[in-house]
Amino acid sequence: MKQIQKRILLQVVLGFLLGRVSIFGLNPVGIAYFAAGFTEGGGVFPVALAVFLGMSCTSMSLETAICGGMVMFTLSLASDMLSKRGIHIKMGHAAIISALASAALWTLQLWMLPYNVYNIWLAVLSSIMIIACTRIFHDGIHFLLHPRKYRELGNEEMASTVIIGTLAIWGFPEVAVSGISVADIIVYFVLLLAGYCYGAGTGAVAGTAAGILFLLCGRPAEVIGLMALLGICSGIVKGQGRLLMVLSFFASAISLNYLLDGSNMEQGTMKAIILSGIAFLCVPVSFLKKLGRSGENPPSEKKGVQDIMRRRLEEFSDAFNKLSNALMKQTDDKYGMNNHDMRKMMNEMSEKVCGNCTNRDNCMGQIAVCKPEIFNTLAVAQEQGCILPAQMPAEFLDECIYPEKFLSEANQNLYMARTLMGFKNRMAESRRVVAGQMKEVSEMVKHFAESMPEIKDFSLEIEEKIIGELDKKKVVAEDIFAYEKQDGRLEISLQAKTSKGRLVTSAEVARVLSHVLGRTICPSAESRKVLVNEMVNFVFVEDTPLYAITGVARIPKDGEEISGDTFSCITLPGGEMLLALSDGMGSGSDAMEESKTVIELLEQMAEAGFSHSSAIRLINSLYMSREEEAGYATADIVILNLYKGDCCFLKNGASATYLRHNKRVMMIEGQTLPVGVVHEIESYVGKVGISGGDYVIMMTDGVSDCFMENEEDLSGYLKRCEIINPQEIAKHILDEAVRRSGGKASDDMTVIVAGIWERV
């Protein structure tokens, strides 16, 4: 608050000085200064009074000062009248209103008093200068009232600030002490300040403006070039230290004056430069650094940390992707022995069994079992699990004296080979599952990196307004910044505490933020509900324009105590609500375990930030990697985005979902396999818009099958339903399904209904 008061005081002082500026006996500059600052806040009445006093303390006539005061009063009155109609004037409007008021007063004066062409030109010039100067002064006053730490000073703001300062010095009273002009001291001091804080470019602009000011005060035209060069010199040597900079500035002034004028500098001017240098050396270095930082680029510490996090996440994503590709290259399924494996096995058999046979030298059977024709026999044997005697070559049966021993050994080796191939295939399958999981993790981390919210800085005006409004509730706030997510939703973080023992809730703070930002803000679920007398971090999020209420009705299959259906209705970050329904294979506790696994894993992954399609694929891979008896479960997922107003459907073997809008019913169904059936699973994905008054109805096949007599029967039933409460709708649908199935539940039955309404 002290900083704001200092800026308003500076604004008032400048108003007084600009009110003293006389151009052809008029003061359009003071009126334009008031109009430019009128729409930027700050002091309105104090500035108007200061400008009027400045006009009254000059050689201008009292009538001119009164006319200027009437113009400023007219602008204030017009603004008040327009604001009552909900119209807030801007800088351009203020300039035009002031110019029209000035023109009206001039017209009245010319009508009542004698005039000539010179008076008409003055009237036109005054109105034009009011409009032009208002636009010129606006950027400088905005920078004056709303400075931003580490904000780069724009060219328009720099030029406007220099012009305001120059005119203020022009309006400075002519005060001289011992022959030294106070205005000259201020001019040279400003040159040193501009060069030291902002460099040679700004010094040159300030010097040129100072030269024009001296020219208007009656000095020779060469002074413009002299002052511009002095400004450049002050910026060039700023890195050598302040003392050396002041000495170089003094030496440059004497040298340039001698080169341009051919004579020595006046003693009054030399003394003014020396005094300005002494005053500059007395200014604290910390103040100069603080003033100079307003022209630097922001350090963006939060932005830098955010970029580092994004790069690290991208590196993690690439690492997981490379691991996935490496594992996939090693995943070679082997479903049977090739010719090489068969030949090797038969050769080993021949050596092992026939090696100690007494009839080996005379037996032709060992040659027959190694012929290519035997490979067809072994291929058939792999399918049936053993080699039968009838499948062996006739030469082998005629020659071999131990056929039973040979076949027994061959079948044992065949069994071992089949077992080894099964083990290798299982290992390959496991590697494929792990590779798929790593691929999904890579995509998930990449999604995290791409969807990281952008840090959004509040303007100083908004930040100070938030701090001021919270201060009224005895709340001290600091470190206020916001994140803007990809969908445009705002998330605000701040440190806050109460003062003087006040009890303030986070909901009260949210109402203040809503009022200032013009958006509906609410505390996040993770934040504390009450502020304490020590600094604590609070997070507030932009509330969703829609909200949803859910209702669930379910009964198990007749004869079962436990339903095999499992459901979930949870709120996710980002203004989303997850509705999930899973039907396990069969009924009872076994089916419940299957569906429960799907829902629990889905909840955990959704809350962790996994995309829903990636979550389904990961869950499916976990199912496929289990060693116990295979099972499956359906997955029916609905994601309600209550901020953007859309609804996304993901289906794997699930029954149709219905969306009711007014009296129209849309059926969403997808022909996909349940979770745990195949390795590579794909979900049916659909997306529609939602609005207030819509209902989303989900159900398992135990309910939908009861309405299968007529394909449009369920849609027609939902159209005729007049119930509003989602819980009652779910119960009504379930009761109707039981009635249509003859009063009994032939399967597990579950119905989920979500009603969507607009916030008021």
Side-chain angles (χ1 to χ4, degrees):
M1 297 299 292
K2 292 181 179 179
Q3 294 293 332
I4 297 175
Q5 293 174 357
K6 290 178 180 178
R7 288 193 290 270
I8 294 177
L9 179 60
L10 178 59
Q11 183 188 16
V12 171
V13 172
L14 289 174
F16 175 78
L17 295 176
L18 266 67
R20 290 178 49 81
V21 176
S22 176
I23 301 176
F24 301 112
L26 305 175
N27 190 280
V29 173
I31 298 173
Y33 177 80
F34 174 79
F38 186 82
T39 57
E40 289 297 317
V44 176
F45 176 75
V47 173
L49 181 60
V51 172
F52 180 77
L53 291 176
M55 293 179 180
S56 304
C57 297
T58 59
S59 59
M60 288 182 290
S61 63
L62 181 61
E63 292 81 2
T64 302
I66 293 174
C67 288
M70 292 180 65
V71 171
M72 292 185 288
F73 175 76
T74 302
L75 175 59
S76 301
L77 182 63
S79 173
D80 184 63
M81 294 174 61
L82 292 174
S83 63
K84 291 181 179 179
R85 298 186 178 184
I87 302 174
H88 300 282
I89 66 172
K90 298 180 180 179
M91 180 271 299
H93 304 145
I96 293 174
I97 292 173
S98 301
L100 291 176
S102 176
L105 291 173
W106 268 102
T107 302
L108 180 62
Q109 180 180 350
L110 295 177
W111 178 64
M112 296 178 63
L113 301 174
Y115 65 90
N116 51 32
V117 178
Y118 177 75
N119 299 123
I120 297 176
W121 279 111
L122 283 182
V124 175
L125 178 64
S126 177
S127 299
I128 294 175
M129 286 193 66
I130 287 174
I131 296 176
C133 291
T134 300
R135 177 63 190 91
I136 293 172
F137 294 162
H138 179 263
D139 292 325
I141 296 175
H142 179 80
F143 178 72
L144 170 68
L145 294 177
H146 310 293
R148 290 291 302 278
K149 186 178 180 181
Y150 299 115
R151 186 187 67 174
E152 185 177 358
L153 186 65
N155 293 329
E156 294 83 0
E157 291 177 332
M158 181 178 65
S160 177
T161 304
V162 169
I163 292 173
I164 291 174
T166 303
L167 292 173
I169 296 174
W170 188 7
F172 196 85
E174 296 181 3
V175 179
V177 180
S178 300
I180 305 172
S181 173
V182 176
D184 287 0
I185 297 174
I186 295 174
V187 168
Y188 293 121
F189 175 80
V190 171
L191 277 184
L192 288 168
L193 201 67
Y196 183 82
C197 294
Y198 303 113
T202 305
V205 174
T208 303
I212 295 173
L213 174 62
F214 285 157
L215 177 64
L216 294 174
C217 294
R219 300 190 186 183
E222 292 83 0
V223 73
I224 298 177
L226 172 64
M227 298 303 292
L229 291 173
L230 277 179
I232 295 174
C233 292
S234 65
I236 290 176
V237 296
K238 70 172 186 174
Q240 306 299 322
R242 291 200 294 168
L243 180 59
L244 184 59
M245 175 183 173
V246 170
L247 295 176
S248 300
F249 183 78
F250 179 71
S252 300
I254 295 176
S255 303
L256 290 171
N257 181 78
Y258 184 80
L259 289 174
L260 294 175
D261 193 27
S263 61
N264 295 326
M265 184 177 289
E266 298 178 356
Q267 290 187 358
T269 304
M270 294 177 62
K271 292 178 181 179
I273 295 176
I274 293 172
L275 290 176
S276 66
I278 295 173
F280 176 73
L281 293 174
C282 293
V283 177
V285 178
S286 58
F287 176 79
L288 294 175
K289 290 182 178 179
K290 182 178 179 181
L291 187 64
R293 280 201 299 266
S294 62
E296 296 177 358
N297 291 325
S300 301
E301 294 181 2
K302 297 185 181 71
K303 181 68 175 177
V305 172
Q306 189 181 42
D307 292 338
I308 293 173
M309 291 177 61
R310 184 179 287 110
R311 288 195 297 270
R312 292 296 295 162
L313 287 174
E314 290 174 350
E315 290 173 2
F316 281 130
S317 176
D318 292 339
F320 278 112
N321 191 40
K322 291 177 181 178
L323 285 173
S324 174
N325 294 334
L327 284 174
M328 288 299 292
K329 291 179 180 179
Q330 301 174 13
T331 307
D332 296 326
D333 290 330
K334 193 171 184 179
Y335 297 102
M337 293 186 295
N338 53 30
N339 291 344
H340 174 74
D341 296 332
M342 294 178 183
R343 182 179 291 107
K344 181 179 178 182
M345 187 187 75
M346 296 308 295
N347 286 334
E348 291 177 353
M349 289 286 302
S350 177
E351 291 292 332
K352 185 176 180 180
V353 178
C354 302
N356 298 324
C357 182
T358 56
N359 196 34
R360 176 180 180 181
D361 296 333
N362 300 322
C363 180
M364 300 298 294
Q366 56 184 328
I367 299 176
V369 297
C370 294
K371 291 183 177 180
E373 291 80 0
I374 195 65
F375 298 155
N376 294 330
T377 299
L378 292 177
V380 175
Q382 286 185 77
E383 298 294 332
Q384 63 188 19
C386 64
I387 305 175
L388 300 177
Q391 295 174 321
M392 297 298 292
E395 297 179 7
F396 170 79
L397 295 175
D398 293 338
E399 297 289 335
C400 184
I401 59 177
Y402 300 112
E404 295 83 3
K405 182 179 179 181
F406 187 92
L407 289 177
S408 175
E409 191 71 25
N411 287 328
Q412 184 177 358
N413 286 354
L414 183 63
Y415 173 78
M416 293 296 296
R418 285 169 54 87
T419 303
L420 182 60
M421 280 188 295
F423 177 75
K424 289 182 178 180
N425 290 338
R426 189 64 179 178
M427 290 294 293
E429 181 180 332
S430 298
R431 283 196 297 270
R432 184 167 54 248
V433 169
V434 173
Q437 292 173 346
M438 287 188 174
K439 187 75 172 178
E440 294 301 328
V441 172
S442 171
E443 293 296 324
M444 181 269 296
V445 174
K446 184 178 180 181
H447 173 71
F448 280 168
E450 293 175 349
S451 61
M452 284 186 66
E454 294 292 333
I455 294 178
K456 181 178 181 180
D457 291 327
F458 288 126
S459 66
L460 185 64
E461 180 183 5
I462 293 178
E463 185 173 340
E464 290 182 344
K465 191 172 182 180
I466 292 173
I467 294 174
E469 292 294 327
L470 291 177
D471 185 62
K472 295 178 182 178
K473 294 185 175 291
K474 307 302 180 185
V475 174
V476 179
E478 58 185 34
D479 291 339
I480 304 174
F481 60 92
Y483 293 105
E484 188 171 35
K485 300 184 178 180
Q486 285 188 328
D487 57 3
R489 196 179 186 211
L490 205 62
E491 183 175 303
I492 304 161
S493 174
L494 57 86
Q495 299 279 336
K497 70 174 183 178
T498 57
S499 60
K500 299 182 180 180
R502 285 288 303 272
L503 177 63
V504 181
T505 63
S506 58
E508 293 181 72
V509 178
R511 285 193 290 270
V512 171
L513 294 173
S514 301
H515 173 70
V516 174
L517 300 176
R519 302 189 185 190
T520 305
I521 307 296
C522 64
S524 67
E526 298 80 12
S527 294
R528 300 179 63 166
K529 304 303 180 186
V530 180
L531 279 70
V532 295
N533 58 356
E534 61 181 16
M535 281 293 181
V536 178
N537 186 67
F538 288 86
V539 177
F540 298 87
V541 296
E542 186 175 357
D543 208 352
T544 58
L546 301 174
Y547 70 97
I549 298 177
T550 59
V552 180
R554 59 202 297 257
I555 56 173
K557 179 181 178 181
D558 287 349
E560 298 285 351
E561 296 181 357
I562 300 175
S563 173
D565 301 339
T566 307
F567 71 94
S568 176
C569 303
I570 60 174
T571 301
L572 301 175
E576 292 181 336
M577 174 175 279
L578 172 69
L579 308 177
L581 182 58
S582 179
D583 184 2
M585 181 178 65
S587 59
S589 58
D590 292 338
M592 187 270 291
E593 289 296 329
E594 298 288 346
S595 61
K596 181 181 177 182
T597 301
V598 172
I599 295 299
E600 287 181 347
L601 290 172
L602 181 62
E603 286 180 344
Q604 295 170 5
M605 293 182 181
E607 290 177 339
F610 280 73
S611 67
H612 306 97
S613 56
S614 295
I616 287 294
R617 287 194 290 268
L618 280 173
I619 294 170
N620 183 75
S621 67
L622 293 175
Y623 259 79
M624 299 305 298
S625 63
R626 296 186 307 179
E627 296 182 358
E628 59 267 18
E629 184 179 354
Y632 65 84
T634 65
D636 194 3
I637 304 171
V638 173
I639 303 98
L640 301 174
N641 192 319
L642 302 173
Y643 181 78
K644 298 175 66 176
D646 58 44
C647 179
C648 184
F649 303 89
L650 284 87
K651 289 185 169 294
N652 286 93
S655 300
T657 299
Y658 295 84
L659 175 63
R660 193 182 80 175
H661 178 75
N662 294 331
K663 293 297 182 180
R664 294 176 296 173
V665 176
M666 178 188 301
M667 183 172 67
I668 299 98
E669 56 182 350
Q671 302 298 325
T672 52
L673 294 174
V675 176
V677 177
V678 295
H679 289 284
E680 301 294 334
I681 190 172
E682 291 295 334
S683 303
Y684 167 80
V685 180
K687 190 174 185 179
V688 296
I690 56 175
S691 58
D694 290 356
Y695 290 88
V696 177
I697 300 98
M698 306 167 64
M699 63 192 70
T700 56
D701 56 1
V703 178
S704 60
D705 290 346
C706 298
F707 291 87
M708 292 301 292
E709 297 177 2
N710 185 348
E711 186 176 349
E712 299 295 327
D713 195 17
L714 183 54
S715 298
Y717 176 79
L718 295 175
K719 291 178 183 179
R720 296 189 302 271
C721 183
E722 299 292 338
I723 304 174
I724 298 177
N725 187 287
Q727 180 62 45
E728 294 181 5
I729 294 175
K731 187 176 184 305
H732 203 265
I733 294 174
L734 184 64
D735 292 342
E736 179 66 17
V738 173
R739 186 188 67 79
R740 294 194 179 202
S741 63
K744 62 180 181 179
S746 57
D747 196 359
D748 298 321
M749 295 184 177
T750 303
V751 181
I752 300 177
V753 179
I756 297 100
W757 284 272
E758 294 182 358
R759 295 188 187 275
V760 293

